[in-house]
Amino acid sequence: MKKALDEGDHRRRFLRLLATSPLLGLSGLSWLESEVEWRQALDSFAQSEEIITSPEQALNVMEFEAVARQKLPPAHFGYLATGVTDDGTLRANREGFAKYQLRVRRLRDVQKIDLSVRLFGTTWDSPIILAPVGSQKAFHPDGEITVAKAARAKGHHKILSTHASSSVEAVNEALGAPTWFQLYPTDDWTVTRGLTKRVEAAGCPVLVLTVDSQGGSLRETFARFRRTDLRQCTDCHVGGFTYNAMIRRRPMFQGLELSKVTTQLPLNLNWDIVKRLKDLTPMKLVIKGLATREDAELAVEHGADGVIVSNHGGRAEDSRRGTIECLPEVVAGVQGKIPVLIDGGFRRGTDIFKALALGAQAVCIGRPYLWGLAAFGQAGVEAVLTLLRRELTIDMRQAGTASIAQITREYLLEQ
Ligand SMILES: Cc1cc2nc3c(=O)[nH]c(=O)nc-3n(C[C@H](O)[C@H](O)[C@H](O)COP(=O)(O)O)c2cc1C
């Protein structure tokens, strides 16, 4: 049944209309490029409920979440949305950004904004990278391939998960370049070696070792959504839900002897793994999931080539500490010797600006592109990337910073 529009709905629709209107005269900022597109959006806008019905209607990346929730089966949406226990760390990731405000400068030439960054010898069009996420066919029939096509179309880089539902070779082809590969080592070194040598042969320049979920996690939101899903899960999850059964269905594990594998990150794993991997492969090694100065120092000592500040999007530990709050001590720990990247709760251009100002070289996003993928496929992922880049560009103009290198600590105030 169609619900009556309240004042907030009308205001929301009006703002959306303004944002899409070429009459607004924000040259270079207008979301829709041609009058035809604008009229089509107006038509669908007039027909839409509160939830957007096409990517062009979105004012920000959060608007894709409601569509994803509407389209996905409950268990899959729960897998996407969940944090740990009552989602305290998930919320902390968002709340952490409020501790910083922007100190904006005036009368700077901001006509040309350069978003490019250089990482491990390659220049990228923007500092926004698509984080590794497993099982993307749970969100769209072509999962990782669709995401790779969107990343390619928009000039963004991505990291492929060990648990991807497409192979590294297929993703590289769709991306038009070798992806970075995220590694869960498992508890069998022959499998670690097999995965590493396969992605090395596929040309992947960077291996991203995830270390944040060694302790296990209690994902209550996932369990709650799953309870409401009445489908027969074993129709697709053939073999059941043990780790061993799951990886047997994953393309990256095909051809490997898996009988001894029981877990993605063994409980007794320690810093020796870094040296072992460095000895195994010439790929750059980035450690994903650090949160403290001490571990940042250890990463440098053990020869890591980079680190990612991350708590797995609030899905790893119950620390209730946002990654943006961890970033300054990790930056201090590496002392400029290796690049620091970060993820967790990035939804706005200002979030990205703040991380760059605190010393991150790049920012990874997870859920926003998955919402776009589930909502509208490739067009949804592209729209998410366009929105984030557009916001960052405007924020940089407003602050008077024309390039990423110009975004420094002096542009932030800490409350
Ligand atoms: C559904 C889902 C699956 C994920 N799978 C992986 C994975 O396979 N490997 C990994 O290193 N991180 C994984 N992550 C964590 C992301 O790489 C990233 O750290 C996180 O999503 C960033 O937070 P955000 O979602 O708030 O942007 C996953 C996250 C989500 C939401």
Side-chain angles (χ1 to χ4, degrees):
M1 200 173 66
K2 198 171 163 71
K3 107 178 148 62
L5 291 181
D6 63 20
E7 201 181 317
D9 291 328
H10 283 301
R11 188 169 164 274
R12 190 176 158 87
R13 287 184 172 201
F14 177 64
L15 287 174
R16 192 175 292 150
L17 176 65
L18 273 186
T20 57
S21 171
L23 302 177
L24 208 56
L26 296 173
S27 84
L29 302 184
S30 84
W31 170 234
L32 295 172
E33 266 148 27
S34 73
E35 193 180 332
V36 176
E37 274 178 297
W38 179 58
R39 291 200 181 287
Q40 281 167 353
L42 270 187
D43 289 347
S44 53
F45 168 75
Q47 291 157 14
S48 73
E49 291 290 335
E50 201 180 345
I51 294 177
I52 59 169
T53 53
S54 72
E56 296 80 12
Q57 291 173 348
L59 291 178
N60 58 56
V61 303
M62 274 77 76
E63 294 202 90
F64 292 90
E65 185 177 12
V67 190
R69 183 170 181 170
Q70 198 180 48
K71 291 197 173 175
L72 289 175
H76 292 192
F77 182 76
Y79 166 62
L80 195 172
T82 197
V84 287
T85 65
D86 55 1
D87 296 339
T89 309
L90 182 74
R91 283 193 300 281
N93 276 349
R94 288 294 305 136
E95 287 160 9
F97 292 110
K99 298 196 173 134
Y100 297 97
Q101 298 164 338
L102 268 49
R103 289 185 72 240
V104 297
R105 300 294 308 276
R106 308 295 188 207
L107 291 176
R108 297 263 180 88
D109 181 350
V110 287
Q111 199 171 10
K112 285 203 189 83
I113 297 292
D114 179 6
L115 295 186
S116 67
V117 288
R118 200 164 165 77
L119 275 174
F120 305 122
T122 304
T123 301
W124 305 101
D125 287 351
S126 98
I128 305 167
I129 297 174
L130 285 74
V133 165
S135 315
Q136 292 179 17
K137 285 188 183 165
F139 311 122
H140 183 276
D142 291 322
E144 288 84 356
I145 301 297
T146 301
V147 169
K149 286 179 184 165
R152 180 183 196 165
K154 290 289 158 186
H156 287 254
H157 201 49
K158 74 183 293 298
I159 309 172
L160 186 71
S161 164
T162 300
H163 298 152
S165 39
S166 294
S167 70
V168 69
E169 295 81 9
V171 167
N172 284 354
E173 200 182 321
L175 189 64
T179 179
W180 292 5
F181 184 75
Q182 176 268 323
L183 179 74
Y184 284 125
T186 82
D187 48 355
D188 183 346
W189 180 253
T190 57
V191 172
T192 317
R193 192 173 45 217
L195 290 166
T196 305
K197 287 295 166 190
R198 177 168 170 184
V199 300
E200 184 187 309
C204 298
V206 177
L207 191 66
V208 178
L209 173 70
T210 295
V211 295
D212 59 14
S213 35
Q214 194 176 1
S217 58
L218 300 169
R219 297 181 177 175
E220 292 180 13
T221 295
F222 178 34
R224 208 166 287 119
F225 272 90
R226 203 170 147 182
R227 275 202 298 241
T228 67
D229 200 322
L230 304 175
R231 297 165 316 134
Q232 195 54 257
C233 296
T234 44
D235 285 353
C236 298
H237 296 262
V238 179
F241 291 93
T242 64
Y243 185 68
N244 192 279
M246 188 272 281
I247 59 174
R248 284 177 190 279
R249 298 188 295 264
R250 294 286 171 268
M252 289 310 296
F253 290 86
Q254 299 305 307
L256 297 174
E257 163 53 45
L258 300 175
S259 59
K260 294 196 198 123
V261 178
T262 63
T263 183
Q264 59 188 20
L265 278 175
L267 287 171
N268 63 355
L269 198 72
N270 60 34
W271 284 94
D272 293 344
I273 182 75
V274 178
K275 179 166 181 344
R276 254 184 131 178
L277 287 171
K278 289 288 294 177
D279 289 345
L280 178 67
T281 176
M283 283 185 279
K284 297 283 182 202
L285 183 65
V286 171
I287 304 184
K288 175 173 184 273
L290 300 192
T292 60
R293 177 188 188 122
E294 295 87 330
D295 282 347
E297 286 168 358
L298 283 168
V300 174
E301 257 173 51
H302 284 82
D305 298 293
V307 295
I308 305 182
V309 178
S310 177
N311 52 32
H312 223 95
R315 303 156 80 81
E317 82 280 347
D318 209 4
S319 64
R320 293 164 193 256
R321 192 168 177 230
T323 51
I324 195 80
E325 298 165 275
C326 305
L327 179 61
E329 63 172 280
V330 173
V331 168
V334 307
Q335 293 180 17
K337 292 176 184 151
I338 54 175
V340 177
L341 286 72
I342 181 171
D343 69 26
F346 286 81
R347 308 288 181 262
R348 287 286 190 188
T350 49
D351 302 337
I352 299 167
F353 188 99
K354 287 172 188 178
L356 297 170
L358 289 172
Q361 264 83 13
V363 162
C364 307
I365 55 161
R367 293 182 188 82
Y369 82 82
L370 304 173
W371 297 331
L373 174 70
F376 303 111
Q378 184 175 340
V381 180
E382 287 186 21
V384 162
L385 295 172
T386 302
L387 279 163
L388 286 176
R389 243 197 353 256
R390 183 179 69 156
E391 284 185 26
L392 179 60
T393 303
I394 294 171
D395 297 331
M396 287 171 68
R397 286 211 169 103
Q398 291 172 348
T401 51
S403 70
I404 299 295
Q406 284 177 23
I407 304 175
T408 54
R409 188 66 183 77
E410 73 206 49
Y411 290 88
L412 281 196
L413 207 65
E414 190 174 351
Q415 282 188 340

